[in-house]
Amino acid sequence: VQLQASGGGLVQAGGSLRLSCAAKGSFFGIRLMGWHRQTPSNQRELVAEITNGGEPNYADSAKGRFTISRDNAKNMVYLQMNNLQPEDTGVYYCTADVMATPWEEHEHRGQGTQVTVSS
């Protein structure tokens, strides 16, 4: 399974970015898809995640500014980030809990896409 992320970049504070991630490969299904980030101080933290039923979960820092969504038919997850602030800077990783069979699940992580917010 490969997770291919895109959409990072450099924006000014207050700007917006939309991240996309596609899961490629052969599998039974994907239970949970989400985004984690690694900050410049090397902290790794959850940003947002969403179940295959469409139920989202956000970090407190993302609530009210970011929106996660997914397209189950395309095995894709999106993160719309609005009102970006310098503290949002980091490498954003797409993650997915992929079911190889109905009884076997593994966590996968993509290569990461850089998001830089200037003040």
Side-chain angles (χ1 to χ4, degrees):
V1 177
Q2 281 191 325
L3 299 177
Q4 300 173 351
S6 61
L10 170 65
V11 295
Q12 290 188 327
S16 298
L17 284 173
R18 186 177 190 240
L19 306 183
S20 300
C21 175
K24 304 285 188 182
S26 178
F27 43 83
F28 178 78
I30 305 177
R31 185 179 60 84
L32 194 66
M33 298 188 82
W35 297 90
H36 289 70
R37 70 182 169 209
Q38 186 155 347
T39 67
S41 59
N42 277 330
Q43 282 190 310
R44 190 169 294 177
E45 56 193 24
L46 171 71
V47 178
E49 59 189 3
I50 185 167
T51 68
N52 52 8
E55 184 173 345
N57 177 44
Y58 295 98
D60 286 344
S61 60
K63 289 177 182 175
R65 299 187 300 129
F66 296 1
T67 301
I68 190 169
S69 60
R70 67 187 280 179
D71 184 331
N72 290 332
K74 297 180 179 179
N75 295 315
M76 293 196 69
V77 64
Y78 309 94
L79 186 67
Q80 177 66 43
M81 304 186 291
N82 297 329
N83 191 23
L84 283 159
Q85 299 300 315
E87 52 266 34
D88 296 316
T89 293
V91 179
Y92 283 66
Y93 295 92
C94 175
T95 58
D97 291 345
V98 180
M99 295 178 286
T101 71
W103 311 277
E104 183 181 358
E105 183 176 282
H106 299 283
E107 182 178 332
H108 295 264
R109 190 180 76 167
Q111 280 191 320
T113 183
Q114 177 71 45
V115 171
T116 303
V117 185
S118 63
S119 57

